[in-house]
Amino acid sequence: MPEPRWLTPREAEIWAAYRRLCRDLQRAQDQQLQQDSGISAADYALLAPLSETEDGVLRARDLGVEVDWERSRLSHQISRMEKRGLVVREACEDDARGSMVRLTAEGRATIEAAAPGHVEIVRQMFFDPLDGDEMRTLGDFLERIVAAVEGNAEGRA
């Protein structure tokens, strides 16, 4: 077995900063959504892609792919949201085993009310600290890292 490629002290600092960023940014988003709109980050995660479709409907399987959730988690979250009137499940015309998830009027009103505060916290915490050149550089870095992660995941599948 090859010798582990341990992180250098600087790499360890950068990795720790990245982990803090993920944790703290997610926490801030969760708190903002709950305080301002009374919804969870999981609610927002499903409401957003539904609201971006022309008719507010997605096949449950496609919604799960969009948010990268397992079927069980998706099903439980949809059930919770159905009880609150944010979405409804409908039969899939193309596949009797599949289901569609439709955004209700209440769900659309909820996401439309939540989106401005959500985008403001993202802007304040993620984009505002950067100038234009830094944002382009960060975008380039993130694209390269995502490509490496996706390539690694494909190699293991």
Side-chain angles (χ1 to χ4, degrees):
M1 183 151 202
E3 182 68 25
R5 297 183 328 138
W6 300 112
L7 299 180
T8 66
R10 183 63 181 138
E11 289 169 337
E13 289 172 5
I14 293 168
W15 183 244
Y18 167 77
R19 293 182 65 199
R20 281 192 315 275
L21 168 67
C22 290
R23 179 196 66 217
D24 294 349
L25 186 58
Q26 187 64 55
R27 182 181 303 131
Q29 290 175 358
D30 292 347
Q31 289 173 346
Q32 177 275 319
L33 285 169
Q34 191 63 51
Q35 289 172 356
D36 293 355
S37 306
I39 63 172
S40 68
D43 293 333
Y44 194 92
L46 298 187
L47 291 173
L50 287 168
S51 72
E52 293 166 359
T53 67
E54 187 175 318
D55 54 1
V57 179
L58 281 172
R59 188 180 178 124
R61 178 180 63 203
D62 296 336
L63 184 56
V65 168
E66 176 76 22
V67 295
D68 193 28
W69 290 1
E70 293 178 7
R71 190 178 340 175
S72 174
R73 179 180 183 194
L74 180 68
S75 179
H76 289 297
Q77 183 62 35
I78 290 170
S79 293
R80 287 189 287 273
M81 293 171 71
E82 277 184 301
K83 289 176 185 171
R84 295 182 4 249
L86 301 174
V87 298
V88 293
R89 277 185 241 229
E90 301 174 347
C92 180
E93 294 178 9
D94 301 340
D95 180 0
R97 295 175 298 162
S99 66
M100 307 298 286
V101 181
R102 179 178 298 278
L103 187 64
T104 64
E106 177 70 20
R108 184 163 301 280
T110 298
I111 189 69
E112 287 176 357
H118 177 71
V119 75
E120 182 58 30
I121 196 117
V122 170
R123 182 168 296 290
Q124 285 176 6
M125 298 183 126
F126 196 81
F127 291 108
D128 287 353
L130 306 173
D131 66 28
D133 288 338
E134 291 168 329
M135 197 175 326
R136 278 187 291 285
T137 300
L138 177 62
D140 292 343
F141 291 161
L142 291 175
E143 288 171 8
R144 286 178 28 209
I145 292 168
V146 166
V149 169
E150 288 174 349
N152 191 336
E154 290 171 5
R156 293 178 188 237

